[in-house]
Amino acid sequence: MQSWRRKALWLALLASWLLVLLRVFPLLRLAVPARPWAGAPQGWPRWLDAELLQSFSRAGELPEDDPQPPHAPRGGGHCDWGACFNVSKCRGGGLKVFVSPVAGPISDTQRGILASIESSSYHSVSPDEACLLLLLGPEAPAGECSPVPQQWNGGKNQLVLSLHPALCPQTFPPGQAMVAKASPAVDTFRPGFDVALPLLPEAHPLRGGAPGQLRQHSPHPGVPLLALAEERGGWRVAGADSPACPWDGRCEQNRGPEQTPLGATLPNATFCIIPGHRPEALHFFQALQAGCIPVLLSPRWELPFSEVIDWTKAAIVADKRLPFQVLAALQEMPPTRVLALRQQTQFLWDAYFSSVEKVIHTTLEIIQDRIFGASAHPSLLWNSPPGALLALPTFSTSPSDFPFYHLQRGSRPVGGFSALIWVGAPGQPPLKLIQAVAGSQHCAQILVLWSSEKPLPPRWPKTTVPLTVLAGQRKGEIEVQRAAASSRSQFQAARLLPLPCLLHHVCRGSAQQVSDRFFPHRAISTDAILSLDAHSSLTTSEVDFAFGVWQSFPERMVGFLTWSHFWDEAQGGWGYTAERANEFSMVLTSAAFYHRYYHTLFTHSLPKVLRTLADEAPTCVDVLMNFLVAAVTKLPPIKVPYGKQHPEARPPLVRIQAPGASEQQPPAQDCINQMAAEFGYMPLVSSRLRLDPVLFKDPVSVLRKKYRSLEKP
């Protein structure tokens, strides 16, 4: 009897559980995602009935299980990159831009845009040869808008660019044209097709630009936590204990302890609270320059260059409806995270926003990346120093090929170095120098750039490394190679290459130009280059130690002889000198290590006017190369010790001429001022550091020292 009751009780319990399961089964299966197929990316589950659950996320925030097609345009247009841009016109020479004539008076900003494009590698003088036609947007207050250009063609392969909000309505719809506009609204911006620009102030520098205003990367105890953007302009500083109401309308009675007027320098705060409506886009630009971490409250405008810039590394996007949660999150943010965000703001400012020229070049580089497709810049090059504008994709798209990313990747340059010896007048072959350099265990090859009008010598020293001689001739370039294993003293082979004059020079005779020493010759097979002059005098120990130092700092120049620049307050100009002092800012390329990528930058990135200046005054070549490396790295060169056998390389001590003087300075005397004017600022950085070997000149036994010959008299 008890057994029957026990069975009946179990049956009743089972029936009740079955009824419960049948009732809630439709609800249970809502959260069960479909079984993913093999290799499918895992994401959030797809709810089968969204009406039963309240959504706390916006559409598009959560990733889907399967890859999604590109976003459709949000601005009512139907254009995307594949449909409204003819990439086939850019296959030949990459992105070439023709600027359509501007109707009416040209503003200073438009004149700066034209100058920056004409001096760049993007410029094309003919609309038939260009694959992109650029139309400058209206900026005239009188209402003189730019008419439709003759080659409009419905806007296909056209770019309408406006750095400032248009003061007169556009007289034509963009159609199939790309629009590069300052702070475009989110609902009208077409992702992947349009380009979002920053909202620049009226007096923004056209070239160069001021550096970031950040004085310290870590928050100081006395520094306010918040800077609040005012609707009428300016900023209001608030501490960590201020009420969390700047963006919900409850602060009308308490306006904060400190206010700054419109246009004033941004206070030294850690976070800048910026409302999301479009007039506050200029506050975002100011915060970026000051190194104040922008905290955007539900922005309604597209962030500048959001297609390539990862703004999660430099800014914070928060919901304006959660003020107390946002304030608590800012107060509890780790110092390491704050440091990383502030450093990224300064990098982005300097790389892409500090001048009108950088904004224009960044816009064109984004379009060129779309053309290149798989050969475009990876995200690391856009979001890591020195930036995509200085990491040319024509050189490589792999970060390991550039000298800037070894520290992030935890690697060092591999392989040896190539010795590049420049031989000018009087054309004496550097026989002893070749033997000393070839004796280095790290030397991979020796290249001699013969720039003298004298004929090549019949005999060259025997070396254990390949020896290549490049000699400029009227009909081309003769390359004479000798195998390292050859036992003969004569060259093994000689061949004539019917090449035209080198890239940016006009044929002016048999000798090469001075700046050709920095041409990216295909014969260079290593990352490291040891640049030498025929009159240089180095020992094998000096070469080995300097190369070891360069391997630890591959992005910088490592040299033996130094110069220093100075500012002459009385004359109002720059000068440079070779007087021995504890401070220096340049190393001579007559004996220096650097990465071969700087040859590519020197040839393809520098304006032609600077290369011409270097050809006219040979002394300026060293200054220009140091300008280039310092502008890219923001770091000084490194000095290493050398023996007393080195000749003193003395440039002329520059004397800046007083204003009103009739006599004009020669190019060699004034090239540093011309270069500073072309760059827009002075990029050179001074240093007092010299790296010596361990136990260098210490009173210990010479047997304990690795580089013993460095201390020989």
Side-chain angles (χ1 to χ4, degrees):
M1 189 68 178
Q2 292 181 353
S3 176
W4 180 83
R5 289 181 178 179
R6 190 181 299 111
K7 292 181 180 180
L9 182 61
W10 278 108
L11 289 175
L13 184 61
L14 182 62
S16 61
W17 275 105
L18 183 60
L19 291 176
V20 172
L21 290 176
L22 288 176
R23 284 188 176 183
V24 300
F25 179 76
L27 294 178
L28 288 178
R29 66 183 180 133
L30 291 178
V32 179
R35 172 171 292 185
W37 58 89
Q42 297 298 314
W44 291 89
R46 287 186 176 181
W47 304 100
L48 302 182
D49 192 353
E51 295 180 357
L52 299 179
L53 296 174
Q54 182 181 0
S55 176
F56 293 94
S57 63
R58 297 180 181 179
E61 282 188 351
L62 302 180
E64 299 291 340
D65 288 336
D66 50 324
Q68 297 296 312
H71 295 284
R74 293 175 293 192
H78 302 286
C79 269
D80 55 24
W81 179 252
C84 296
F85 193 89
N86 185 8
V87 184
S88 61
K89 297 183 63 177
C90 311
R91 296 298 186 190
L95 179 63
K96 292 298 180 182
V97 181
F98 175 79
V99 182
S100 301
V102 180
I106 301 179
S107 64
D108 293 338
T109 302
Q110 291 176 332
R111 190 175 291 106
I113 294 174
L114 293 175
S116 64
I117 295 178
E118 289 175 356
S119 62
S120 68
S121 59
Y122 308 108
H123 183 246
S124 175
V125 295
S126 171
D128 298 329
E129 299 176 357
C131 71
L132 177 67
L133 302 182
L134 189 145
L135 176 65
L136 296 180
E139 294 184 7
E144 180 105 24
C145 294
S146 300
V148 178
Q150 296 179 356
Q151 301 87 7
W152 181 241
N153 191 24
K156 200 175 188 68
N157 283 48
Q158 302 271 352
L159 174 65
V160 181
L161 188 143
S162 178
L163 291 179
H164 304 290
L167 300 180
C168 62
Q170 287 182 331
T171 59
F172 57 92
Q176 298 182 4
M178 294 178 290
V179 177
K181 184 180 179 182
S183 304
V186 174
D187 55 349
T188 60
F189 182 75
R190 297 171 291 183
F193 190 69
D194 293 338
V195 180
L197 302 182
L199 182 59
L200 303 181
E202 293 293 337
H204 199 55
L206 297 179
R207 182 177 296 172
Q213 300 178 3
L214 182 60
R215 297 293 179 264
Q216 56 186 19
H217 291 298
S218 299
H220 193 270
V223 174
L225 178 68
L226 303 177
L228 313 175
E230 294 283 347
E231 292 184 1
R232 60 184 181 276
W235 297 85
R236 176 162 50 90
V237 179
D241 55 349
S242 69
C245 57
W247 54 88
D248 61 357
R250 290 181 291 168
C251 284
E252 296 300 328
Q253 298 180 356
N254 180 16
R255 301 304 301 170
E258 179 183 348
Q259 299 184 29
T260 59
L262 179 63
T265 303
L266 184 69
N268 186 16
T270 304
F271 300 97
C272 288
I273 307 296
I274 303 173
H277 43 277
R278 291 183 63 191
E280 301 298 336
L282 186 58
H283 280 115
F284 172 79
F285 192 75
Q286 295 173 349
L288 199 67
Q289 180 181 6
C292 183
I293 302 173
V295 181
L296 303 171
L297 304 176
S298 303
R300 303 173 187 173
W301 42 276
E302 192 75 17
L303 296 183
F305 305 136
S306 56
E307 181 177 343
V308 294
I309 294 180
D310 185 2
W311 284 110
T312 61
K313 297 181 179 180
I316 299 173
V317 179
D319 194 334
K320 65 179 181 180
R321 299 170 297 180
L322 305 174
F324 296 101
Q325 291 86 336
V326 172
L327 182 60
L330 298 180
Q331 292 173 337
E332 298 175 1
M333 184 172 294
T336 54
R337 175 64 175 164
V338 173
L339 174 62
L341 289 170
R342 302 189 83 180
Q343 288 178 333
Q344 191 71 3
T345 60
Q346 297 300 273
F347 155 66
L348 293 177
W349 165 263
D350 182 76
Y352 307 118
F353 302 105
S354 60
S355 67
V356 174
E357 183 179 63
K358 291 181 180 179
V359 172
I360 298 302
H361 287 186
T362 303
T363 303
L364 299 180
E365 197 69 24
I366 291 175
I367 298 176
Q368 182 165 261
D369 272 8
R370 297 176 184 172
I371 296 173
F372 285 165
S375 302
H377 292 97
S379 178
L380 176 64
L381 302 189
W382 277 104
N383 296 279
S384 299
L389 297 184
L390 295 173
L392 303 182
T394 53
F395 176 79
S396 177
T397 57
S398 174
S400 60
D401 293 333
F402 294 91
F404 318 114
Y405 309 105
H406 288 286
L407 182 61
Q408 300 180 26
R409 302 167 61 91
S411 61
R412 297 184 65 183
V414 296
F417 66 85
S418 299
L420 201 61
I421 304 177
W422 173 264
V423 181
Q428 296 296 329
L431 305 182
K432 292 184 178 180
L433 181 61
I434 291 176
Q435 291 177 341
V437 173
S440 172
Q441 59 179 334
H442 306 292
C443 183
Q445 61 176 164
I446 299 177
L447 292 91
V448 179
L449 300 181
W450 191 267
S451 184
S452 175
E453 303 211 4
K454 291 185 177 181
L456 291 172
R459 295 179 177 272
W460 293 82
K462 297 180 181 180
T463 60
T464 58
V465 296
L467 177 64
T468 303
V469 179
L470 302 177
Q473 299 292 336
R474 294 182 185 272
K475 295 184 179 179
E477 186 177 284
I478 297 178
E479 180 179 302
V480 186
Q481 295 184 335
R482 181 173 61 84
S486 174
S487 60
R488 297 177 295 173
S489 59
Q490 298 288 342
F491 289 109
Q492 186 180 17
R495 55 193 177 99
L496 177 65
L497 301 181
L499 299 178
C501 293
L502 293 178
L503 194 64
H504 52 267
H505 295 294
V506 180
C507 299
R508 309 181 204 171
S510 59
Q512 297 176 354
Q513 302 302 317
V514 177
S515 60
D516 289 341
R517 65 185 302 173
F518 300 127
F519 184 80
H521 297 280
R522 290 176 295 178
I524 301 175
S525 59
T526 61
D527 288 339
I529 293 178
L530 173 58
S531 177
L532 298 167
D533 282 349
H535 58 76
S536 301
S537 178
L538 289 176
T539 64
T540 303
S541 297
E542 291 171 343
V543 172
D544 287 341
F545 175 71
F547 178 70
V549 172
W550 177 86
Q551 285 183 310
S552 300
F553 305 95
E555 75 281 4
R556 298 163 76 170
M557 296 182 68
V558 178
F560 301 88
L561 300 174
T562 59
W563 290 345
S564 61
H565 75 289
F566 60 90
W567 175 258
D568 193 328
E569 190 69 32
Q571 303 295 338
W574 294 101
Y576 64 102
T577 178
E579 296 295 332
R580 288 194 172 184
N582 293 329
E583 192 171 81
F584 64 92
S585 56
M586 294 180 280
V587 295
L588 272 65
T589 57
S590 59
F593 278 98
Y594 51 83
H595 198 278
R596 68 184 177 97
Y597 174 62
Y598 292 122
H599 279 201
T600 301
L601 274 182
F602 190 96
T603 303
H604 300 288
S605 179
L606 286 178
K608 183 179 180 180
V609 62
L610 291 179
R611 297 193 300 266
T612 303
L613 176 64
D615 290 334
E616 295 175 352
T619 310
C620 297
V621 175
D622 295 288
V623 181
L624 182 56
M625 191 63 173
N626 281 271
F627 262 61
L628 174 64
V629 178
V632 172
T633 62
K634 310 296 185 296
L635 296 170
I638 296 177
K639 178 180 174 61
V640 291
Y642 62 93
K644 296 182 179 180
Q645 73 276 8
H646 286 274
E648 291 292 336
R650 291 181 173 270
L653 181 62
V654 175
R655 300 295 183 187
I656 308 300
Q657 240 173 317
S662 59
E663 185 179 355
Q664 188 176 4
Q665 292 190 24
Q669 296 277 335
D670 196 44
C671 64
I672 188 171
N673 287 289
Q674 297 182 40
M675 292 178 186
E678 190 67 28
F679 273 81
Y681 68 106
M682 170 53 70
L684 295 178
V685 182
S686 297
S687 174
R688 298 182 179 179
L689 174 67
R690 189 185 77 179
L691 296 183
D692 298 337
V694 178
L695 302 179
F696 181 68
K697 291 189 177 181
D698 285 354
V700 297
S701 173
V702 71
L703 299 178
R704 299 176 59 186
K705 301 181 179 182
K706 182 177 181 180
Y707 304 98
R708 305 168 188 172
S709 61
L710 291 181
E711 303 182 32
K712 291 183 179 180

